[in-house]
Amino acid sequence: QVQLVESGGGSVQAGGSLRLSCAASRYTYSSNCMGWFRQAPGKEREGVAAIYSGGGSTYYDDSVKGRFTISQDNAKNTVYLQMNSLKPEDTAMYYCAADLLSRSWRGDYHYWGQGTQVTVSS
């Protein structure tokens, strides 16, 4: 069993930055893929970014490319999401996920965190 705990959310103005952290209860390398998702009120959950453990490949949704960066620190069992140039449309609950169950990084994962709220004001 893996416990995922997100932190780092908060309220910022447009153009600001936040760094989200996802701490896993066991060595993250054994997870094939770690992902970040978000869900805004009234909208479906959407994939934001993912990082594969094998070669460190990263994937991003088009809406965040060039602004968000996903990274992994295996020594700390932590995955990060650096978010720069934040926009009001980035406002959502952000979730961390581990152990991909699908072929696509946007698919389902075995483990999910409880989420951390990000609010961007204009």
Side-chain angles (χ1 to χ4, degrees), residues 14-93:
S17 299
L18 285 172
R19 187 176 80 156
L20 305 183
S21 299
C22 173
S25 60
R26 66 173 171 84
Y27 185 37
T28 55
Y29 187 75
S30 60
S31 172
N32 58 348
C33 182
M34 301 283 292
W36 283 98
F37 288 74
R38 65 186 181 187
Q39 187 168 21
K43 295 186 176 181
E44 292 187 354
R45 186 181 67 196
E46 62 178 1
V48 175
I51 183 167
Y52 283 78
S53 299
S57 298
T58 57
Y59 295 84
Y60 298 91
D61 185 78
D62 286 345
S63 64
V64 305
K65 280 182 181 177
R67 300 189 298 121
F68 291 12
T69 303
I70 188 170
S71 61
Q72 188 171 13
D73 186 337
N74 291 331
K76 295 183 178 180
N77 296 347
T78 301
V79 173
Y80 302 98
L81 186 68
Q82 178 66 45
M83 306 186 297
N84 298 327
S85 302
L86 283 161
K87 304 175 181 180
E89 51 264 44
D90 294 319
T91 296
M93 183 71 78

